[in-house]
């Protein structure tokens, strides 16, 4: 079936449409036919494909221009459905009970009888699963009645999209429909927690602070394997890079730079200044991070200077993203 037939009257490939009952039904039809739909989650926008359809999943890699070895998160409507895809253990049960639906992804052993495409595992014997909290994501999963593979809906190496417009900018013409559910509330990707070993291992800091995860799961190790053999390949050095160079820990700013500020007293003199949080609120800063990086990523700026961000709570995840974005380009 041609995607134009499914998108219906007035619908052309790559359209942004407000998410409502009709557009979600249309999105489900597009996905069922093996095409791609971008949709909002509480963390960032996802580029979704039917996770049981290898070709559809392959189309994600193609659309993103993403290295093949990056495995994908499988989105499910509830814990029950997750138990059909992965082998659940006690820690996983506890984590799911406390944090799902929400910005937490669990890496667990694949079940031998799962229908999920192996491409989602990218050569590993594990699968990353998540139950998103956003009502549009939930409605889409219900309408589709299949698991959804979805990385962040940006071209590989780009900044994660937190609005429908970001998706359109980054994936222009390479996604069949974009469901607009407004800006993402969390604004950072999900925390990725590997529960395949004896102790939980945090592969990617994200929407749930490590301390909060530890409150439920006990002590959590952080992934120190990234340099040589990254267990979470999405954390490769320059993964989150904007086009312009980033200058971190900036306490003053040059007139040809953009300033990504934090707190009540940013230095004056930048060409453009955006403040992650005037009140120094780390959660507000996380929600603004990718949108502001997008906005400041303009060749008119020699660089984006970023003020120091405290490491507390979501600050660790923000700084992880910023260090990655500032890393030398591959
Ligand atoms: O918030 C999010 O997680 C968003 C929304 C759309 O759900 N998705 C997202 O997906 O950020 P993506 O593909 O951009 O990042 C997924 C991360 C990558 O770092 C990837 O390497 C890791 O999860 N990952 C996925 N499957 C894995 C697996 N089986 N083992 C280890 N890491 C895995
Ligand atoms: Mg991503």
């Amino acid at each position: 079936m041609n995607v134009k037939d499914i998108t219906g009257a007035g619908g052309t490939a790559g359209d942004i449409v407000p998410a409502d009952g009709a557009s979600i039904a249309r999105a489900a039809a597009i996905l069922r036919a093996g095409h791609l739909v971008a949709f909002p989650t509480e963390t960032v926008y996802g580029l979704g494909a039917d996770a049981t359809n290898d070709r559809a999943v392959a189309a994600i890699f193609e659309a993103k221009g993403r290295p093949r070895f990056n495995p994908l998160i499988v989105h499910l409507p509830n814990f029950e459905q997750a138990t059909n895809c992965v082998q659940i253990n006690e820690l996983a049960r506890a984590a799911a009970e406390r944090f799902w639906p929400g910005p937490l992804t669990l890496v667990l052993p694949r079940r031998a009888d799962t229908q999920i495409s192996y491409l989602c595992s990218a050569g590993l014997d594990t699968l990353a699963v998540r139950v998103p909290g956003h009502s549009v994501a939930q409605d889409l999963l219900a309408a589709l009645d299949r698991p959804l593979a979805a990385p962040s809906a940006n071209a590989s190496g780009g900044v994660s999209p937190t609005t429908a417009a970001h998706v359109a900018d980054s994936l222009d013409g390479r996604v069949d429909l974009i469901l607009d559910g407004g800006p993402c509330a969390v604004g950072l990707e999900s925390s990725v927690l590997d529960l395949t070993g004896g102790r939980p291992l945090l592969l990617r800091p994200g929407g749930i602070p490590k301390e909060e995860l530890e409150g439920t799961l006990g002590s959590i190790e952080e992934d120190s394997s990234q340099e040589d053999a990254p267990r979470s390949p999405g954390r490769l050095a320059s993964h989150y890079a904007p086009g312009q160079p980033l200058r971190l820990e900036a306490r003053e700013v040059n007139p040809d730079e953009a300033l990504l500020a934090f707190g009540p007293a940013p230095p004056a003199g930048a060409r453009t200044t955006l403040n992650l949080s005037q009140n120094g609120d780390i959660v507000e800063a996380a929600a603004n991070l990718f949108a502001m990086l997008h906005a400041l990523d303009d060749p008119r700026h020699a660089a984006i200077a970023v003020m120091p961000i405290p490491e507390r709570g979501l600050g660790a995840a923000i700084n992880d993203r910023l260090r990655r974005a500032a890393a030398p380009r591959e």
Side-chain angles (χ1 to χ4, degrees), residues 39 41-47 64 66 69-75 103 105 107-108 120-122 124-130 132 150-154 160 188-192 194 203-204 231-235 239-240 321:
F39 64 99
T41 81
E42 71 277 37
T43 59
V44 300
Y45 274 71
L47 177 62
K64 283 185 64 95
R66 168 181 251 203
F69 48 78
N70 269 17
L72 301 175
I73 296 171
V74 175
H75 297 70
T105 294
V107 173
L108 290 162
C120 293
S121 295
L124 304 170
D125 51 10
T126 56
L127 261 184
V129 289
R130 163 163 126 78
S152 52
N154 52 277
S160 289
L188 275 181
E189 298 97 333
S190 60
S191 305
V192 178
D194 182 338
L203 298 180
R204 179 178 74 179
R231 236 181 285 214
S232 184
R235 300 191 63 195
H239 189 62
Y240 294 96
R321 297 295 182 285

